[in-house]
Amino acid sequence: MDKKLKILLSGGGTGGHIFPAIAIADEIKKRFPDAEFLFIGANGKMEMEKVPQAGYKIEGIDIAGINRGNFLSNLGLPFKVLKSLSKSKKIIKDFQPDLAIGTGGFASGPALYEASKLGIPIFIQEQNAYAGVTNKILSKKAKAVFTAYPKVEGFPNEKIKFLGNPIRENIVSGMEETAKAKEKIVLDKDKLTILSVGGSLGSRTLNNAWKSHLDEIVNKDYQLIWQTGKLDYKDILEETKHISNRNIKIVEFIKNMEAAYSAADIIVSRAGAIAISELAVAKKPVILVPFPFAAEDHQTKNAMNLVEKNAARMVKDSEMGEKFWSTLEEICNSEELRKEMSHNLEYFAKPHATKDIVDEIFKLI
């Protein structure tokens, strides 16, 4: 290229918005090492820390979402929106990007709206099966909307590109044969192994379910890799110390997720967008337990996309007492069902999503 490429990115509030944006930036940087990147984030949110840690510059704007629990706290929101639009416009005029990419979150609204007004091509990457309010509005101006599901309510169908969510490269390249992975982490390669993951903080719903069924795990001679999260870890160790069973591995956090995915025969997980994209690449039968307080109940919508293709089973928080163990046993007792679910997950597996998204961006501009 004759001139140095300039890329504007915006996304934040949660890791599910931030890490896809960073992954896309990394892929563009591989192709154009001299390219300049600038992120726009929300002051006080985690992107202001995570983006610089990844080696990119970020500018903060004062923007927040609607507080549904405290109406009075929203009275200043219109002024914050106007201020963030004004600052975004100044940042963009100073930086003069060639294109802008938004991955959701409060900051991406003003940033991409102002970019589109200035005639800069904008692109959206939506991680969930249900479009967030910000991305719904921006999709009307976007050249393309990259999704992890074939249809996402709220987006023009002609703009949807079903290319998947950017996920960690080690998940794509690090998966290995199940029996070999079990032996590596000191498990019996011949025993059925269940992996339970509830995110870095853990899921109390999942933790309580396992506490209720530890006797069944021991009696059935299953192996359980139980990631508790940091909040419950010490209490669970104390509560389970009377169970001397080497088949149950209790850990606070799993750094080497590809090894855990590889060792598992069945996975129990929340239904966050990036988690589901990783689970689809892992191709292991999965029970999804959506977090019921996610915005617009998007985790349930994510899970239902897989359930409808018999690629997963879903158990709601409110149904854990009556349905969790019977659903797990159904999958444990049928190798044929496990094979069918693994095969059906391939439809959602997009291991090269980041590369495909960047290919499409440059094709369209």
Side-chain angles (χ1 to χ4, degrees), residues 13 21 56 65 73 94 110 121-122 151 160 173 178 181 201 302 350 362:
Y56 296 103
S73 70
D94 289 344
I122 69 167
K151 287 189 178 180
I160 290 176
S173 59
T178 302
L201 293 178
N302 292 346
K350 302 287 183 181
F362 285 103

Side-chain angles (χ1 to χ4, degrees), residues 186-233:
V186 199
L187 291 170
D188 188 324
K189 65 183 177 64
D190 297 318
K191 289 183 180 179
L192 190 136
T193 301
I194 303 158
L195 167 66
S196 175
V197 284
S200 58
L201 293 178
S203 161
R204 189 149 288 163
T205 296
L206 296 186
N207 289 341
N208 287 339
W210 294 121
K211 285 193 281 187
S212 299
H213 294 289
L214 281 181
D215 288 341
E216 287 100 321
I217 293 288
V218 173
N219 293 337
K220 293 281 186 179
D221 206 22
Y222 297 150
Q223 292 176 136
L224 172 64
I225 306 168
W226 180 3
Q227 183 254 322
T228 66
K230 63 182 179 181
L231 297 180
D232 288 347
Y233 177 64

Side-chain angles (χ1 to χ4, degrees), residues 11 16 58 65 69 74 80 83 88 93-94 111-112 123 130 150 160 171 264 291 295-296 301 311 336 350:
I58 186 166
N74 296 315
K80 283 187 175 180
K83 187 180 174 184
S88 294
K93 279 190 165 184
D94 289 344
L112 267 74
F123 298 87
Y130 186 85
I160 290 176
I171 303 298
F291 180 59
E296 294 159 321
K301 296 176 176 74
E336 186 178 336
K350 302 287 183 181

Side-chain angles (χ1 to χ4, degrees), residues 248-313:
I248 300 173
K249 288 189 176 292
I250 299 172
V251 294
E252 178 182 334
F253 184 74
I254 300 173
K255 289 181 181 175
N256 190 354
M257 275 309 302
E258 64 271 25
Y261 285 150
S262 296
D265 295 294
I266 300 164
I267 299 172
V268 181
S269 173
R270 286 299 199 187
I274 304 301
I276 285 182
S277 294
E278 291 188 351
L279 292 165
V281 169
K283 295 186 181 70
K284 299 296 177 77
V286 61
I287 296 175
L288 296 169
V289 184
F291 180 59
F293 304 110
E296 294 159 321
D297 199 22
H298 68 254
Q299 287 205 8
T300 298
K301 296 176 176 74
N302 292 346
M304 282 306 301
N305 269 267
L306 275 68
V307 170
E308 286 166 3
K309 289 208 172 279
N310 197 28
R313 293 285 188 269

Side-chain angles (χ1 to χ4, degrees), residues 307-336:
V307 170
E308 286 166 3
K309 289 208 172 279
N310 197 28
R313 293 285 188 269
M314 180 178 77
V315 180
K316 294 181 179 179
D317 261 46
S318 58
E319 300 171 335
M320 287 294 280
E322 58 191 280
K323 287 188 177 180
F324 175 65
W325 187 255
S326 60
T327 304
L328 181 63
E329 280 282 82
E330 178 197 8
I331 301 170
C332 290
N333 292 337
S334 174
E335 186 177 353
E336 186 178 336

